[in-house]
């Protein structure tokens, strides 16, 4: 279905993230932002999915409604486990990606596939699905459920992801056979292979101990259905461990075309217009480094997750635990606001006078040092200044992210530029110093909701009938370039290996 010539067509993109639901409405052809809305999600690492539906209603209302919108796609936090019974009711609160209780189960699954040898098991998982399971992945949460809540697993007939559930909910379906997902989000489950484009149901059953229904995987521009009328949806009751809750009927009007949707990282790549040769570095509470690639990856070390993207290509991804909070911690140490850290850092010379910070404030995932702590090295009477400490914090955070960039390069992925997004990218010090650390130009779009934008772009692609997504360009793109400083990376690497 393509828009009529000369008629303005609007599309909506939804980002159902860990903290909030964001909605953007954009012009399908030009990408012009028309209006936005937002509503908060409850805290915690497990959430009744009904809360996502209520937040979507509130975000739609704050965006002025969707009466003039032709199509909508949902992007959401990856990996979350949503369990449904035979009637489509939610069995228990969804476990989110940041719920780490399944870490021992992840290790057990790796050992089992390697017949007791972790290295062999890690390679087997990477070969099978492109990634080695960690606690964030859905497959590990299913093993936890089977082991710790067998009654809940007995009730479970289907498993899906947050974006799958919201899209299914918007379509008014109650039949679990109507669940739909996409390549990007399916690739984060631990039981779907981006390389083969198929589920590994044997791995799913290994984790769950039983057969479970899973969503059909749609192509990037496929339609998942149409939104159902609110009065037709009624109110579905969900029996969870927290009692009976109501899944409220959606404020989305009927007849809106629903896109396949995707996971948050794939949507962010689509939202900033990343293509082969681009690597997106997102500096939030944690950091993510992911690049659009033409070929799948399978990293047995577990550093790189072999995800798919939202266009039919691939999205190898590295995650670091320490990102923007490194800056806020350094500001607190210096007794200045975070904004003041920028001026201090830029007033110091590159290399911070020999001061180097290893920013493992919460341990680290890349490299895998969960019990490590942060440290300062090279302090002397002469260089122990607030400016050098501020500069060392920025350089250390960026060096940690550059380790992820190196991991992608080591797989043969060409890196022509970095697209820098996230809250940490608002720092002028981060923007200016990043190209010296990354060694390539750094393009920074103006702050925005790039996950929701990617979902909106997918919706526009769906109704256009085109082979490629519409050529939207992120607003206010500014490119920073500077001579690389391999000496800073080399000194950081030396002290990084001393981290304990």
């Amino acid at each position: 279905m393509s828009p009529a010539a000369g008629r303005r067509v609007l599309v909506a993109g939804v980002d159902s993230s860990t903290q909030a639901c964001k909605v953007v409405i954009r012009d399908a052809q030009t990408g012009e932002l028309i209006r936005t809305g937002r509503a908060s999600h409850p805290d915690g690492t497990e959430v009744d999915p009904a809360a996502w539906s209520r937040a979507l209603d509130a975000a739609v209302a704050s965006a002025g409604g969707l009466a003039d919108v032709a199509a909508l796609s949902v992007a959401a936090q990856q990996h979350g486990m949503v369990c449904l019974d035979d009637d489509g009711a939610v069995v228990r609160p969804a476990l989110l990606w940041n719920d780490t209780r399944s870490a021992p189960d992840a290790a057990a699954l790796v050992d089992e596939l390697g017949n007791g040898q972790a290295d062999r098991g890690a390679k087997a998982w990477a070969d099978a699905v492109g990634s080695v399971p960690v606690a964030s992945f859905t497959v590990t949460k299913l093993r936890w459920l089977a082991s710790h809540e067998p009654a809940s697993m007995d009730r479970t007939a289907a498993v899906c992801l947050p974006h799958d559930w919201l899209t299914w909910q918007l379509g008014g379906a109650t039949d679990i056979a109507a669940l739909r997902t996409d390549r990007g989000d399916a690739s984060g489950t631990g039981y779907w292979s981006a390389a083969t484009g198929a589920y590994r149901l044997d791995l799913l059953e290994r984790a769950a101990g039983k057969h479970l229904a899973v969503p059909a995987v749609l192509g990037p521009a496929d339609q998942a259905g149409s939104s159902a009328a609110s009065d037709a949806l009624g109110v579905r009751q969900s029996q969870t461990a927290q009692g009976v809750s109501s899944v409220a009927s959606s404020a989305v009007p009927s007849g809106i075309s629903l896109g396949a949707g995707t996971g948050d990282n794939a949507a962010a790549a689509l939202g900033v217009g990343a293509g082969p040769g681009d690597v997106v570095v997102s500096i939030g509470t944690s950091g993510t480094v992911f690049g659009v690639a033409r070929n799948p990856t399978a990293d047995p070390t577990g550093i790189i997750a072999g995800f798919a993207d939202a266009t039919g290509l691939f999205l190898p991804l590295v995650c670091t635990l320490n990102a923007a909070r490194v800056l806020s911690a350094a500001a607190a140490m210096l007794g200045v606001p975070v904004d003041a850290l920028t001026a201090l850092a830029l007033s110091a010379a590159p290399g911070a006078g020999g001061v180097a910070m290893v920013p493992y404030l919460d341990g680290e995932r890349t490299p895998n040092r969960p019990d490590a702590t942060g440290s300062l090295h090279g302090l002397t009477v002469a260089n122990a200044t607030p400016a050098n400490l501020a500069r060392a914090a920025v350089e250390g955070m960026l060096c940690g992210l550059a380790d992820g960039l190196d991991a992608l390069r080591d797989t043969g992925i060409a890196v022509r530029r970095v697209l820098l997004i996230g809250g940490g990218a608002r720092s002028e010090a981060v923007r200016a110093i990043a190209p010296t650390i990354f060694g390539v130009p750094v393009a920074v779009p103006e702050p925005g909701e790039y996950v929701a934008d990617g979902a909106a772009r997918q919706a526009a692609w769906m109704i256009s009938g085109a082979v490629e997504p519409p050529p939207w360009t992120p607003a206010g793109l500014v490119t920073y370039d500077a001579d690389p400083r391999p000496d800073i990376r080399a000194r950081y690497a030396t002290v990084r290996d001393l981290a304990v």
Side-chain angles (χ1 to χ4, degrees):
M1 167 174 70
S2 58
R7 182 170 64 88
R8 183 183 179 99
V9 177
L10 302 184
V11 293
V14 174
D15 171 16
S16 184
S17 73
T18 313
Q19 294 84 16
C21 181
K22 286 87 73 175
V23 174
V24 301
I25 293 93
R26 290 188 174 271
D27 183 288
Q29 183 174 4
T30 67
E32 176 190 356
L33 181 62
I34 307 302
R35 56 187 189 270
T36 66
R38 179 187 177 97
S40 295
H41 283 157
D43 292 331
T45 63
E46 62 174 62
V47 175
D48 184 345
W52 301 331
S53 183
R54 292 191 292 269
L56 176 56
D57 285 356
V60 165
S62 72
L66 302 180
D68 53 352
V69 166
L72 176 151
S73 282
V74 177
Q77 53 185 303
Q78 287 186 267
H79 311 303
M81 179 187 72
V82 183
C83 294
L84 305 175
D85 67 15
D86 286 314
D87 298 322
V90 175
V91 171
R92 73 171 319 280
L95 293 185
L96 307 188
W97 66 274
N98 55 351
D99 191 300
T100 60
R101 72 185 77 178
S102 63
D105 303 283
L109 286 168
V110 172
D111 285 345
E112 287 173 17
L113 212 58
N115 293 318
Q117 297 184 37
D119 288 348
R120 180 182 294 178
K123 185 178 186 306
W125 277 98
D127 290 344
V129 294
S131 302
V132 180
V134 292
S136 59
F137 286 16
T138 318
V139 70
T140 72
K141 300 178 189 304
L142 287 168
R143 168 58 68 85
W144 179 89
L145 188 69
S147 300
H148 292 81
E149 295 183 6
S152 294
M153 180 57 79
D154 287 345
R155 282 190 59 209
T156 299
V159 60
C160 63
L161 301 168
H163 115 256
D164 310 340
W165 184 85
L166 274 169
T167 303
W168 179 73
Q169 185 71 23
L170 288 171
T174 58
D175 185 354
I176 57 177
L179 287 164
R180 301 289 182 266
T181 192
D182 88 304
R183 298 172 66 254
D185 224 2
S187 64
T189 60
Y191 45 83
W192 187 87
S193 167
T196 65
Y199 280 109
R200 284 294 304 266
L201 295 179
D202 58 319
L203 299 179
L204 172 61
E205 292 182 22
R206 173 184 288 271
K210 62 185 289 190
H211 172 78
L212 296 175
V214 289
V217 181
L218 300 180
D222 287 349
Q223 184 170 336
S226 298
S227 59
S230 296
D231 57 3
L233 285 174
V235 177
R236 183 185 306 151
Q237 301 294 323
S238 295
Q239 178 70 48
T240 71
Q242 297 173 340
V244 177
S245 64
S246 296
V247 180
S249 58
S250 175
V252 177
S254 64
I256 294 179
S257 298
L258 299 175
T262 192
D264 52 3
N265 291 303
L270 189 58
V272 297
D278 289 333
V279 171
V280 180
V281 175
S282 178
I283 305 177
T285 303
S286 60
T288 49
V289 182
F290 48 95
V292 177
R294 298 191 185 279
N295 299 305
T297 57
D299 178 15
T301 71
I303 292 174
I304 300 173
F307 296 153
D309 83 338
T311 71
L313 298 177
F314 304 92
L315 199 76
L317 180 145
V318 177
C319 181
T320 68
L321 292 182
N322 297 278
R325 284 194 292 189
V326 175
L327 306 181
S328 58
M333 289 171 62
L334 292 169
V336 300
V338 173
D339 290 346
L341 193 76
T342 285
L344 278 173
L346 290 176
S347 71
V355 180
M357 175 182 283
V358 179
Y360 298 166
L361 306 186
D362 291 313
E364 189 46 76
R365 175 174 169 180
T366 305
N368 186 25
R369 298 178 183 174
D371 299 321
T373 57
S375 54
L376 279 171
H377 298 264
L379 281 172
T380 67
V381 171
N383 66 18
T385 67
N388 283 332
L389 179 58
R391 180 97 188 191
V394 174
E395 289 179 348
M397 180 197 70
L398 290 170
C399 283
L401 292 165
D403 285 347
L405 196 64
D406 287 347
L408 296 185
R409 285 192 177 107
D410 288 345
T411 68
I413 295 172
V415 182
R416 65 182 178 91
R417 68 169 179 173
V418 163
L419 289 158
L420 196 64
I421 62 173
R426 301 187 183 197
S427 164
E428 187 60 30
V430 170
R431 297 173 181 221
I433 297 170
T436 71
I437 304 299
F438 296 153
V440 293
V442 173
V444 187
E446 68 181 31
E449 299 292 350
Y450 288 105
V451 174
D453 289 343
R457 191 177 181 209
Q458 184 191 62
W461 185 12
M462 173 185 64
I463 62 174
S464 73
V467 175
E468 301 287 340
W472 296 358
T473 302
L477 195 68
V478 177
T479 297
Y480 292 75
D481 206 352
D483 292 335
R485 292 295 304 264
D487 57 314
I488 297 174
R489 291 288 315 280
R491 185 170 65 254
Y492 173 83
T494 299
V495 299
R496 174 198 61 205
D497 293 338
L498 299 174
V500 292

